[in-house]
Amino acid sequence: MARFARAALQRYPARDFRPMSGLTMWMPSPLRPLALFVVATALTFAATAATPAHALVVGIADNKPDMFGDPRFTSAGIGTARLSVSWDALTSPWQTHQLDVWLEAARAARVEPLISFGHSTLDRRSLPTPERFLFEFRRFRARYPWVTTFATWNEANHCGEPTCHRPTLVAAYYRKLRRECRSCRILGAEVLDMPNMVSWVRSFRRHAREEPRYWGLHNYIDANRKRTTGTRRLLHAVKGQVWFTETGGIVRRTNPHRVTFPESAAHAAEATSFLFRRLVPLSRRVTRVYIYQWNVNAGPLTWDSALIGPTGRPRPSYKIVERVLVKQARRRAARSSSANPGHAPAPAPSR
């Protein structure tokens, strides 16, 4: 558009132009309205291109369906949630039932699901061929045709996953999903911010035969150590949008782990604040954030990063996420009001 504006102005010799008061632009008076329109359109286009392609979307990652019935979840205006499933979940009746319950609850709540495939719960180390993976994906799509957003593999570079040293195979899975459902949004892979992340992603990209438009990042280490290193490394390594598909502040871990940082509800709030204050603004390509997790059940746990504690009371991190959601709702309402000046803006979620 800017080139078109320059061409329109350069069609006429300088002797035919005369100055306009208060402007450093020259143009013939008969074409002044047209040229002003062209230039104004070009400037509007440039300003639009300089803004993020998508406003930030905040969702929840949690395999428990009870959050959809929580009034706080409903009033927060959360429009998307992530579910991690086994690649062969539909071969198991009890897993199929869990899928049915979660996805129907999400659908009833008008929440868009992000489905992330991962290791089998029946045989953790087994990996399907690309053809078998495609077969199971087709079964999933036939059962839930309204689900259109998928991540090829959950934490694919983590060596607790059988894909740790198999980026080529995960790239083959990705190609199968992309060819099967062109209308779907397919994340190349979800990776952890670990030392092997960039080398794993580079190998995946070489074998994917196309540049994925979406990536998933689980940047727990960055958020909880209050650093930006891992997130910056992935942003430099890929070109597509980067979704934080699992992230948040950790309250407590009892599982084996080598990465250390403070653990408490207060720490989780600080990490969550750092996430939105420092990690999200790193790039306009960061367009989605999925906080893990909504609530935690009473009893023995290996991992707790929930916004709602075991007694049902909100933790300090909940208040931080709530403020972000309220701010996003107000921005949406302001944009809607600007686009439709005759309509009253929608109210922000209740606090």
Side-chain angles (χ1 to χ4, degrees), residues 62-334:
D62 200 324
N63 278 31
K64 303 187 300 300
D66 54 344
M67 65 181 174
F68 298 116
D70 189 331
R72 291 168 296 197
F73 183 95
T74 305
S75 65
I78 297 168
T80 184
R82 174 182 174 272
L83 174 68
S84 58
V85 304
S86 303
W87 67 264
D88 58 351
L90 293 181
T91 65
S92 167
W94 65 268
Q95 290 184 82
T96 302
H97 174 70
Q98 288 184 340
L99 269 171
D100 288 344
V101 171
W102 196 98
L103 285 169
E104 287 306 318
R107 193 178 191 184
R110 298 183 179 181
V111 171
E112 175 205 24
L114 162 61
I115 300 299
S116 173
F117 297 112
H119 66 259
S120 170
T121 58
L122 305 176
D123 183 359
R124 186 183 182 94
R125 305 311 301 178
S126 70
L127 281 171
T129 63
E131 291 72 24
R132 174 66 189 281
F133 192 78
L134 175 60
F135 173 78
E136 294 298 335
F137 180 70
R138 285 172 172 166
R139 292 180 67 192
F140 193 101
R141 290 279 295 141
R143 191 176 184 92
Y144 314 107
W146 52 278
V147 179
T148 58
T149 306
F150 301 91
T152 306
W153 201 273
N154 173 40
E155 298 186 351
N157 67 317
H158 181 21
C159 286
E161 288 289 322
T163 55
C164 175
H165 303 292
R166 306 292 298 276
T168 303
L169 181 61
V170 180
Y173 295 161
Y174 169 77
R175 292 197 307 271
K176 292 291 187 183
L177 300 192
R178 284 282 293 138
R179 291 172 184 169
E180 178 66 20
C181 187
R182 288 291 181 181
S183 62
C184 294
R185 278 181 294 192
I186 309 293
L187 278 67
E190 294 174 320
V191 292
L192 274 168
D193 54 344
M194 299 172 61
N196 70 338
M197 176 181 64
V198 170
S199 61
W200 194 99
V201 164
R202 285 175 177 165
S203 180
F204 176 99
R205 291 176 69 205
R206 284 196 301 271
H207 294 90
R209 301 177 188 170
E210 67 174 48
E211 185 67 34
R213 294 181 61 187
Y214 309 96
W215 294 88
L217 173 62
H218 297 184
N219 52 358
Y220 287 114
I221 300 177
D222 274 2
N224 286 275
R225 285 190 169 175
K226 300 177 189 175
R227 69 178 199 185
T228 61
T229 310
T231 305
R232 288 181 185 274
R233 289 173 65 226
L234 184 65
L235 286 166
H236 290 157
V238 303
K239 296 180 180 178
Q241 293 182 29
V242 174
W243 296 3
F244 300 167
T245 52
E246 262 195 46
T247 190
I250 298 174
V251 177
R252 185 167 179 259
R253 294 173 296 170
T254 59
N255 59 340
H257 54 271
R258 296 180 180 178
V259 179
T260 60
F261 39 74
E263 297 176 18
S264 67
H267 162 79
E270 292 175 4
T272 304
S273 175
F274 183 86
L275 167 72
F276 287 108
R277 182 169 44 86
R278 293 289 306 280
L279 294 175
V280 169
L282 285 176
S283 172
R284 293 174 179 175
R285 291 187 289 130
V286 177
T287 55
R288 290 200 183 194
V289 172
Y290 290 81
I291 299 295
Y292 186 82
Q293 57 206 137
W294 178 255
N295 60 354
V296 62
N297 295 327
L301 296 169
T302 59
W303 179 285
D304 179 2
S305 58
L307 302 177
I308 309 295
T311 63
R313 298 187 62 180
R315 286 170 166 166
S317 53
Y318 172 87
K319 298 296 183 183
I320 293 167
V321 175
E322 182 185 46
R323 285 196 293 270
V324 172
L325 288 166
V326 168
K327 186 180 295 185
Q328 292 300 110
R330 287 174 177 164
R331 287 176 178 170
R332 287 194 301 269

